[in-house]
Amino acid sequence: MLQLAMLGLATCAAMPMAAHADTWPSKPITLVVPFPPGGPTDMVARVLAQNVGEQLGQSVIVDNKPGANGNIGNAFVAKAAADGYTVLYNTSSIALSPALYKKLSYNVNTELAPVALTAVVPLALVVNPKAPVNSVAEFVKYAKDQKGKLSYGSAGNGNVTHLAAFQLVQHYGIEATHVPYKGSAPADVDLVAGQIDFLTDTINSVSAFIKDGKLKLLAVSTSKRLPNFPQAPTLAESGMTGYESGAWQGVMVPAKTPKEVVDKLNAAINKALKDPEVLKKLAIQSTEPLGSTPAEYGAYIKKEIARWDSVVKSTGVSLD
């Protein structure tokens, strides 16, 4: 009798969670974007949020919580209720932070659970149009002739836009000063104004400036040339043999979120990434849709943490 009673209690304890998973979502979902509104991450997140919300029959509300290279928003979701109503739209910065920060207020491996890898946004090496260069080779010569007078911007210390530029500077032996910004938008504006000299930013953040002639595109970070900018060579073509990089994005939830909820959200995201209208909007941004299972995304994050750990150690960058 005691065993039956205990079994009954265990069954009752499990029922609310199962019922929750069966009825999820029964209210709006908050999608936390840990970067400023209007930025490259926010642009993709909003496209997916609309489609996923329509599929699930509930609004997916984007909530921007920028700061600390994405870690403020990451930590917020890591500490949130594991009920499927607070979701993180993270970027590759989440794989950089363990190497950049000695102390983080959350643990990506134990407090967050992967849902799906969503997309990757190529990086672009851009300069002010007044710069007397039209290729990477000319840029390298010009930068070396300036003997440390040039400066480059980024979306923040330790951001992939910072480390990608650092790799370029290191590869070519260029001396230049890093100027970190709070997001891509202010860095792009200052480059257009001539306050800084170059940067490697996400292509969807700078494409409008390139098309308007306000920035000059020298190269892209992909293994192949971009359809929207076929005239721009890759960095690999331009001397950085084998180089390929990008700002990847994905969705995560608090670690103890029910598997049924994770699976429903994963299915909706993957379906969105095959929707013709979504694909059209992402193509305009030169953003490549990906998609994955939760397990595939989890393995990918672990691989990226290991990869960027070696890159960060080679640069000597630390944010503590």
Side-chain angles (χ1 to χ4, degrees), residues 193-312:
Q195 299 299 313
I196 53 177
D197 300 290
F198 68 99
L199 53 75
T200 54
D201 202 358
T202 51
I203 191 69
N204 60 352
S205 184
V206 296
S207 59
F209 292 120
I210 295 168
K211 291 175 181 177
D212 290 344
K214 295 179 179 179
L215 289 179
K216 191 184 297 184
L217 174 61
L218 299 184
V220 294
S221 69
T222 44
S223 60
K224 298 179 181 179
R225 297 193 181 198
L226 298 180
N228 290 356
F229 300 95
Q231 77 285 0
T234 66
L235 284 168
E237 288 180 87
S238 306
M240 294 183 71
T241 304
Y243 183 82
E244 182 179 1
S245 186
W248 53 263
Q249 305 171 357
V251 172
M252 303 187 82
V253 291
K256 294 182 180 180
T257 301
K259 181 181 183 299
E260 293 85 353
V261 172
V262 172
D263 289 344
K264 281 185 181 180
L265 185 56
N266 173 272
I269 292 169
N270 281 311
K271 186 175 181 180
L273 290 168
K274 295 177 181 178
D275 184 277
E277 191 61 29
V278 169
L279 294 177
K280 180 180 178 182
K281 291 176 180 178
L282 295 184
I284 292 172
Q285 300 182 38
S286 294
T287 296
E288 179 185 355
L290 297 175
S292 73
T293 65
E296 287 170 341
Y297 187 32
Y300 183 82
I301 290 175
K302 289 180 179 178
K303 182 180 177 182
E304 284 291 281
I305 288 174
R307 179 170 83 94
W308 284 109
D309 182 69
S310 63
V311 171
V312 170

Side-chain angles (χ1 to χ4, degrees), residues 30-34 61 63 65 73-74 76-77 86-90:
T30 297
L31 181 64
V32 175
V33 175
I61 302 167
D63 182 12
K65 292 187 180 297
N74 297 345
F76 179 85
V77 176
T86 304
V87 177
L88 175 66
Y89 195 81
N90 69 280

Side-chain angles (χ1 to χ4, degrees), residues 152-157 178-184 186-187 190-191 195-196:
Y152 65 96
S154 76
N157 272 317
H178 173 228
V179 181
Y181 289 83
K182 293 181 178 180
S184 289
D190 267 11
L191 181 59
Q195 299 299 313
I196 53 177

